[in-house]
Amino acid sequence: MDFSIIAEYLPRYFDATLLTLRIAFFGTVYALILGLVCSLVQYLRVPVARQIVTAYVELSRNTPLLVQLFFIYFGLPKLGIVWSSENCAIIGLTFLGGSYMAEAFRSGFESVEKIQMESARSLGMKTSTAIRYVLLPQALAVALPGITANIVFLIKETSVVSIIALPDLMFVTKDIIGTDYNTWIALGMLVVFYLIILLPISLIAGKVERRMRHV
């Protein structure tokens, strides 16, 4: 193991990690928002919008992120819609992650008995208030494991965004392998940096899940 080579590559991996984290953060946050909205549309059985959400979920879950990125980055410019590589990556993660988050939230909502929402409404609560104080807290306790798994899944899916010329962790690794042929060092550093990102998230999420079970 040549530590001088590792030291030489570290700045590139640090920069790539920051980019990966930025894409993963915004993609995950927007996916959570989109998933929550979609699941509420389905739960409340909003006419027309419910059918649109169902079609979106099926389309998103049954097409690979790679195909979605190709469509966003290479296809949309043909229609005059041009975004930067980073924005395309965030939009792609949001589009994919939103459907998975919607299913996680939906399972949580379905675990809450309908009588609780009906009781809240009969007490004079607005639908929005009942959702906020009655439905969401109970649903989140059930949906949290699925949401956590989806967050980890989306972070790992960032490895695909290198296909649209983003210098993320995977891009840097492939570049080093292609130019310097230091395959094992590059792959080892890739694994280490992904572990640095993912392990804390998994550990924190596990603690939060255990605490919510006892609340």
Side-chain angles (χ1 to χ4, degrees):
M1 182 70 70
D2 193 333
F3 289 100
S4 64
I5 295 177
I6 293 175
E8 178 186 342
Y9 293 154
L10 275 177
R12 297 181 64 183
Y13 274 91
F14 281 132
D15 291 339
T17 300
L18 291 176
L19 176 62
T20 300
L21 284 171
R22 187 163 64 246
I23 293 170
F25 174 78
F26 286 109
T28 300
V29 170
Y30 296 149
L32 282 167
I33 296 170
L34 178 59
L36 179 58
V37 171
C38 290
S39 61
L40 284 173
V41 166
Q42 292 178 315
Y43 180 81
L44 298 174
R45 300 180 181 276
V46 180
V48 182
R50 186 187 179 198
Q51 284 71 35
I52 294 173
V53 166
T54 300
Y56 153 67
V57 170
E58 291 301 320
L59 173 64
S60 175
R61 286 171 63 90
N62 289 289
T63 53
L65 177 59
L66 183 62
V67 174
Q68 295 170 10
L69 288 174
F70 266 58
F71 178 80
I72 295 168
Y73 188 74
F74 297 109
L76 290 183
K78 302 295 183 181
L79 303 176
I81 303 172
V82 180
W83 287 305
S84 67
S85 296
E86 186 170 332
N87 286 337
C88 286
I90 293 170
I91 292 168
L93 284 177
T94 302
F95 185 81
L96 177 68
S99 61
Y100 283 90
M101 294 300 183
E103 290 298 292
F105 280 118
R106 184 179 62 81
S107 66
F109 291 150
E110 289 179 351
S111 70
V112 181
E113 294 186 13
K114 298 284 186 182
I115 189 65
Q116 297 198 40
M117 282 292 290
E118 294 169 2
S119 299
R121 293 299 308 280
S122 67
L123 291 173
M125 282 189 182
K126 295 180 180 179
T127 301
S128 58
T129 304
I131 289 172
R132 181 179 177 183
Y133 292 106
V134 178
L135 182 64
L136 267 179
Q138 298 180 75
L140 280 175
V142 175
L144 188 58
I147 291 172
T148 302
N150 289 337
I151 291 173
V152 173
F153 164 72
L154 287 177
I155 295 174
K156 290 190 289 186
E157 282 294 288
T158 58
S159 61
V160 179
V161 303
S162 61
I163 199 68
I164 54 174
L166 273 175
D168 70 324
L169 286 169
M170 183 60 72
F171 182 95
V172 168
T173 300
K174 290 190 293 186
D175 186 52
I176 289 172
I177 292 173
T179 56
D180 299 346
Y181 305 104
N182 289 318
T183 303
W184 289 109
I185 291 178
L187 290 176
M189 293 181 72
L190 175 66
V191 171
V192 168
F193 275 89
Y194 266 116
L195 284 174
I196 291 172
I197 295 172
L198 292 169
L199 270 181
I201 294 173
S202 299
L203 293 174
I204 293 170
K207 288 184 178 180
V208 172
E209 287 175 27
R210 286 191 293 272
R211 290 191 64 178
M212 291 193 71
R213 289 196 200 104
H214 297 293
V215 173

